[in-house]
Amino acid sequence: MSRSESLAVYLRAQARRRLDRVETRDDGRNARSALALLDAAAYAGGLPEDDPLILMLDQAGCFGPLGCEGFDPGEAGNKLIRQWEGGEPHDLLLALPAAIAAAT
């Protein structure tokens, strides 16, 4: 599986988690977040392996120390993704390395 595909799989799983959440009075927040994450997954899945965003995520350690493991943004990246409620997919992927760096 390529790094782009691994990232897309991760984002789709996070979107499913948001869809499965049941919260009273969330005013559609979970649904909006799920749609934004699915949009980001579709975007990420189409990125070439040498795309600067994929390379930035690799440098941030999201694909393991050798860059060949499944996508894992760590605690800080997970928190950012859990709080993502919308915006351009590119913005989410750009924000991940900064969030990871700020946590270390």
Side-chain angles (χ1 to χ4, degrees), residues 30-72:
N30 285 319
R32 283 191 303 278
S33 176
L35 288 173
L37 290 170
L38 288 172
D39 190 28
Y43 175 79
L47 293 175
E49 286 299 294
D50 61 349
D51 187 276
L53 287 170
I54 297 297
L55 298 177
M56 285 175 48
L57 292 169
D58 185 24
Q59 290 175 348
C62 294
F63 298 101
L66 300 177
C68 58
E69 296 175 19
F71 182 79
D72 181 1

Side-chain angles (χ1 to χ4, degrees), residues 1 4 8-10 14 16 19-21 23 26 30 32-33 46-47 52-53 58 60 74 76 80-83 87 94:
M1 178 181 308
S4 299
V9 165
Y10 173 87
Q14 295 305 308
R16 279 191 300 276
L19 283 174
D20 290 342
R21 287 186 69 117
E23 297 177 323
D26 83 341
N30 285 319
R32 283 191 303 278
S33 176
L47 293 175
L53 287 170
D58 185 24
L80 175 68
I81 290 168
R82 282 193 309 265
Q83 294 174 347
L94 270 176

